[in-house]
Amino acid sequence: MINVILFGPPGSGKGTQAIKLSKSLGLIHLSTGDILRKAIANKTPLGIKAREYMDKGELVPDTDVAQMVVNAVDRNAGAKGFIFDGFPRNVFQARFLDKMLEERNTSIHYLIALEVNHDELIKRLLNRAKIESRTDDNLEVIENRIKIYFDQTFPVIEHYKSQGKFYPVNGVGTVEEVNDRICKILTKEE
Ligand code: AMP
């Protein structure tokens, strides 16, 4: 199995790269943001609850997200591996993920961290707001999501760095250029 965390601030291109990699490597793309947006669209109890947090750019409670991830992993038992996109979002979730994978006799192999400067992130997110009309892509919420990333999510890097699994990647460039940089890491070490 090969399990990858695609990591980075909002707007760093995690989703785009995760979709490409899941196709080329045959891994399951597990995006907690996508699952939550589907729950909102279907007006499920989880969706109704999650929306309150997402519209403000805050994190949805850990227990809800953790349960969602367990369900998605177990639904795909026998998969070649997973690309986790948008999860873990804090150190609690990282510890939870490690334990859950250990119980299934596997682990995280790579944390690929996409690095993009602040101005470029804002530019990309405002542009995406026009195209996708996501309710959390307005300037105030975007700034809050970036702040939460640096306060709560960034420490996840340290967690995996200490396990020797941290791989920073320059996230500025064309989709293909960034994809090539990631593939070099995943194929070299596999
Ligand atoms: P994303 O599509 O990954 O940018 O996520 C959009 C929003 O969904 C985030 O701003 C959070 O409100 C929520 N979300 C996604 N993943 C998580 C997670 N792992 N933990 C908590 N909230 C999450």
Side-chain angles (χ1 to χ4, degrees):
M1 249 184 136
I2 162 168
N3 296 308
V4 180
I5 297 171
L6 213 47
F7 197 82
S12 58
K14 296 188 297 288
T16 307
Q17 294 298 331
I19 290 168
K20 270 188 97 61
L21 288 171
S22 75
K23 282 193 191 133
S24 62
L25 302 174
L27 306 175
I28 303 286
H29 174 208
L30 201 163
S31 158
T32 44
D34 284 352
I35 299 173
L36 288 165
R37 279 184 288 277
K38 250 181 231 147
I40 290 177
N42 293 332
K43 298 191 170 63
T44 67
L46 170 65
I48 291 163
K49 180 177 174 186
R51 182 166 195 162
E52 306 257 327
Y53 296 89
M54 290 170 76
D55 280 354
K56 288 186 269 183
E58 288 169 8
L59 296 187
V60 174
D62 290 332
T63 44
D64 295 312
V65 176
Q67 191 55 51
M68 257 167 46
V69 172
V70 170
N71 293 345
V73 166
D74 286 345
R75 242 197 328 271
N76 290 287
K80 195 175 154 197
F82 291 88
I83 300 182
F84 295 96
D85 161 12
F87 182 87
R89 257 334 205 262
N90 58 31
V91 173
F92 173 89
Q93 293 183 9
R95 293 200 183 111
F96 176 88
L97 178 63
D98 288 353
K99 187 163 168 286
M100 183 203 35
L101 293 178
E102 197 186 322
E103 285 165 3
R104 287 156 183 76
N105 298 315
T106 185
S107 62
I108 290 298
H109 300 94
Y110 305 89
L111 180 143
I112 304 281
L114 296 174
E115 297 181 333
V116 177
N117 64 65
H118 184 268
D119 289 354
E120 175 73 17
L121 291 177
I122 301 282
K123 200 175 84 188
R124 288 185 187 182
L125 288 165
L126 288 176
N127 194 38
R128 186 172 75 184
K130 285 191 211 135
I131 301 164
E132 292 182 17
S133 68
R134 270 177 54 162
T135 51
D136 59 352
D137 272 349
N138 62 69
L139 191 56
E140 194 190 342
V141 176
I142 285 170
E143 291 284 11
N144 195 34
R145 284 162 57 206
I146 294 175
K147 181 181 179 309
I148 287 183
Y149 170 80
F150 283 105
D151 289 352
Q152 299 186 39
T153 308
F154 193 74
V156 169
I157 287 186
E158 231 12 85
H159 178 86
Y160 287 103
K161 205 185 247 179
S162 68
Q163 299 181 16
K165 296 170 178 172
F166 168 64
Y167 297 86
V169 168
N170 176 5
V172 181
T174 65
V175 171
E176 288 305 332
E177 282 165 350
V178 177
N179 180 253
D180 282 350
R181 291 173 198 146
I182 300 173
C183 285
K184 275 204 185 97
I185 295 169
L186 297 182
T187 47
K188 192 167 62 186
E189 308 264 345
E190 209 175 342

